[in-house]
Amino acid sequence: MFARVFIFLLVVFFRCGTCNVVKRSTSCRDNVCEFRWIIDYKFTMMWYNETSEGTVYQPIVQDSKGFIRRRSTSPNCSETHEAVSLDEFKELVSTGDGDYRMVYAINGQIPGPEIVVTEGDVVAILVYNRLKMEGVTIHWHGLLHKGTPWMDGASMISQCPIMPGQVFEY
């Protein structure tokens, strides 16, 4: 019986390969994991292209053939359209709920980056607020704050907000 279960698990493991493997964050050294987060504005349903000249973004629309990005490239502001491949769409577009919205993003990501650590790790997260007018906090669901209740992120209840241009370390 044990041999059959062992062989079954071995076969399942080799068939699966790397499916759903959770790996510890690469920012972890020994038992300390450090993360740097920049909170900034981002538009959903926009094609973003980071270049050396700055960020270029164009609205994404869908037609009968797929996703296209809209551009105004002529002096008379006539529109041209370019197809967007599925790979480009996945890589360069934050869809949100499918509407055009300005949202807060962490490191340009919606939803924000994962934090994958192991039990016993010390986690330090440096948060930079690059918003223009809004103060922000991070509310940590499922984490106990023994001895640090002011770091729970409920703005103006348990923590003062991180004001624009400020940095806070959780």
Side-chain angles (χ1 to χ4, degrees):
M1 178 67 179
F2 173 74
R4 273 191 254 162
V5 170
F6 179 73
I7 291 171
F8 173 75
L9 290 174
L10 200 59
V11 169
V12 168
F13 176 76
F14 282 112
R15 274 192 196 158
C16 178
T18 59
C19 58
N20 296 330
V21 174
V22 177
K23 294 183 180 177
R24 191 171 179 233
S25 293
T26 58
S27 65
C28 297
R29 302 287 179 263
D30 297 324
N31 74 326
V32 177
C33 301
E34 296 180 335
F35 301 89
R36 295 183 188 277
W37 288 1
I38 298 172
I39 300 178
D40 209 344
Y41 301 105
K42 187 167 189 174
F43 290 97
T44 59
M45 295 306 291
M46 292 287 198
W47 179 86
Y48 279 82
N49 186 10
E50 303 285 336
T51 65
S52 59
E53 299 169 10
T55 302
V56 176
Y57 55 92
Q58 292 141 353
I60 291 290
V61 292
Q62 187 172 12
D63 68 0
S64 60
K65 298 175 188 169
F67 294 104
I68 56 175
R69 59 187 160 119
R70 198 170 57 201
R71 302 176 73 176
S72 294
T73 54
S74 65
N76 65 358
C77 293
S78 64
E79 289 186 352
T80 60
H81 298 88
E82 292 181 23
V84 176
S85 71
L86 187 57
D87 288 339
E88 277 184 306
F89 186 79
K90 288 178 181 177
E91 180 73 24
L92 301 172
V93 177
S94 295
T95 56
D97 62 359
D99 286 330
Y100 299 100
R101 298 189 193 286
M102 185 172 64
V103 296
Y104 302 155
I106 300 174
N107 296 348
Q109 292 179 245
I110 306 166
E114 291 181 334
I115 300 174
V116 181
V117 296
T118 56
E119 187 174 349
D121 283 343
V122 175
V123 178
I125 302 175
L126 202 59
V127 177
Y128 297 85
N129 181 357
R130 289 189 28 195
L131 302 176
K132 302 293 181 209
M133 297 183 294
E134 299 92 333
V136 296
T137 58
I138 307 292
H139 181 65
W140 308 101
H141 287 269
L143 295 179
L144 297 176
H145 293 276
K146 293 180 182 178
T148 57
W150 58 88
M151 292 193 174
D152 191 29
S155 183
M156 299 308 293
I157 297 172
S158 61
Q159 179 183 352
C160 292
I162 307 164
M163 298 309 287
Q166 290 184 337
V167 178
F168 184 82
E169 183 174 11
Y170 286 98

